[in-house]
Amino acid sequence: MLDVSGAGESLRNLWSLTLGDGIAPRHSTEHVVVATGGHRTVRRYADDEQVRAARAAGRAPVLLVPPIAAPASCYDLSPEHSVVAHLRDTGRVPYVVDFGTISRADRGMGFPDFIADIIPSAIDTALADYDDEGGQVDLYGWSLGGTLSLLTAAAAEDRSIRSVVTVATPLDYNRLPGYPLARTLAKPTGGAGTTALLRLLGGIPAPLVQVAYRATSWDRELKKPWFVATHLAETETLKRMEAIDRFQRDFPGYPGRLVEQMWITIILRDQLAAGVLDFDGLTVDLHGIDVPVQLFGSHRDALCSWGAAHHGVELLSGSPLVKFTTVESSHLGLLAGPDAVAHTWPTVDDFLNSVDGLVDARSSRV
């Protein structure tokens, strides 16, 4: 018998993807905006009752830090793959700092703006909203957001950070394809040509970032028409594809000063892998991080090799606890996909619970 319902589903999905407004509306987990401002909007993804319950249980709020050139929606990708919803549903209170749109007008922003101003300000905002001023947060960062989280923890002059989670965060650019060659080619001129180009551009514009990100999964882009054609009746599968496509279209750009510092400090001078970085006079020593850290890596990640992520185990020598977990998935899949749901999220839960235990143990000894 002819499957009329399946044919109807296929036709509806085809219309929605081509001439309609999409298969599903843009997703956004219910939240409260607790602060706005220049590149530092902070949202809380829990209601007042959930905040009171988490505070009574002695749980620290979790501040999620996005990468510079990816939207903060990475933590709320879809109903099934929302990091913030999962944290809320497990009794945590998640906050997200949103850096917003990056334009040429922001070309003077560098790493110090984020790690010594914007993120510490977001930490203060989260703690004030959580009614725990003088307390601590757990930082949680994906990709370059993990780098920013670690640098913030290293630069912090107070005790406002309790632990750090990084997902698919490269900490040794020697282990990323292409970077050692780029350093070798640039060595005779000290990278002057690339530096001049970056200054001329004022950073890396959003369209270039979007194209570059798609290029890392070029096989997915080439296969997409066939994928759609063979999955037209599978609405849930197409919803996930649509959510990823929307996410990629929202990528902002890199501010000029920051990308120049990445080029000179992290790539040319290899200071990230060594652990001590100098950003125009602001020295950050990653060896000084003295809080528990959970790292994640994958052999299937096209943007962050397993070795580049695993380097943190030896790099973060001052931490009392450094855990590394391998979850074989794509760069985004490590954070928000079926593999993340099955492996990354439960591991983060266990890690945060263990940090709760460490804090309780210290408190009982005082």
Side-chain angles (χ1 to χ4, degrees), residues 17-18 37 61 109 131 150 164 169 175 191 196 216 229 252 255 268 297 315 341 350:
L17 287 172
T18 55
M109 293 176 63
D131 196 20
L150 291 171
V164 181
T169 295
R175 305 188 191 189
T216 63
L268 282 184
L315 175 65
V341 174
D350 290 344

Side-chain angles (χ1 to χ4, degrees), residues 68-87:
I68 302 294
S73 60
C74 61
Y75 298 120
D76 194 25
L77 200 60
S78 68
E80 301 81 13
H81 302 116
S82 172
V83 177
V84 289
H86 172 77
L87 288 169

